[in-house]
Amino acid sequence: QVVLGESGGGLVQAGGSLRLSCAASGITFSIDAMGWYRQGPGKQRESVATITSGGTTNYGDSVKGRFTISRANAKSAVYLQMNTLKPEDTAVYYCFVRGSNGPRKYDSWGQGTQVTVSS
């Protein structure tokens, strides 16, 4: 069973920074991508950042230039450095991992970590 452990959330003032971490255990497949989604109060879940096994990154428009995703392949871990945080970044941030083992696809999610940005 895949377990994703997230950490690093918290309360920060606008303009501040936070670094989220996510470590995956129980991986029995080849990882294609890892990343982060978020869901703010009263909002739909949105993609924040994704990084593929080859290192290709993709960011949501609202975080480009402020957030940076990175990955430690050997540790099946992914990180999200969040700078110049804004109140609208307030959300629960969820880590995910996608992969495959032959024809079987895998898609697992963490429990989420709260990020609150005060104005």
Side-chain angles (χ1 to χ4, degrees):
Q1 181 180 355
V2 176
V3 176
L4 296 174
E6 299 139 324
S7 61
L11 173 64
V12 64
Q13 287 188 331
S17 299
L18 283 174
R19 178 178 167 87
L20 304 184
S21 299
C22 173
S25 61
I27 299 290
T28 59
F29 50 85
S30 177
I31 295 175
D32 296 326
M34 297 184 74
W36 299 87
Y37 274 67
R38 70 183 182 187
Q39 187 165 16
K43 299 180 181 179
Q44 290 188 329
R45 188 174 292 195
E46 64 173 337
S47 177
V48 177
T50 302
I51 185 166
T52 70
S53 58
T56 300
T57 58
N58 190 33
Y59 295 93
D61 288 340
S62 62
V63 306
K64 284 180 181 176
R66 300 187 298 122
F67 291 11
T68 302
I69 189 169
S70 60
R71 192 180 151 189
N73 288 341
K75 297 181 180 180
S76 298
V78 65
Y79 310 96
L80 186 68
Q81 178 65 42
M82 306 186 293
N83 298 329
T84 319
L85 283 161
K86 305 175 181 180
E88 50 264 43
D89 294 318
T90 295
V92 178
Y93 285 70
Y94 298 90
C95 172
F96 74 88
V97 60
R98 294 194 187 112
S100 60
N101 188 349
R104 183 172 179 178
K105 304 296 184 183
Y106 294 84
D107 190 359
S108 296
W109 294 81
Q111 294 297 307
T113 185
Q114 177 71 47
V115 171
T116 303
V117 184
S118 63
S119 56

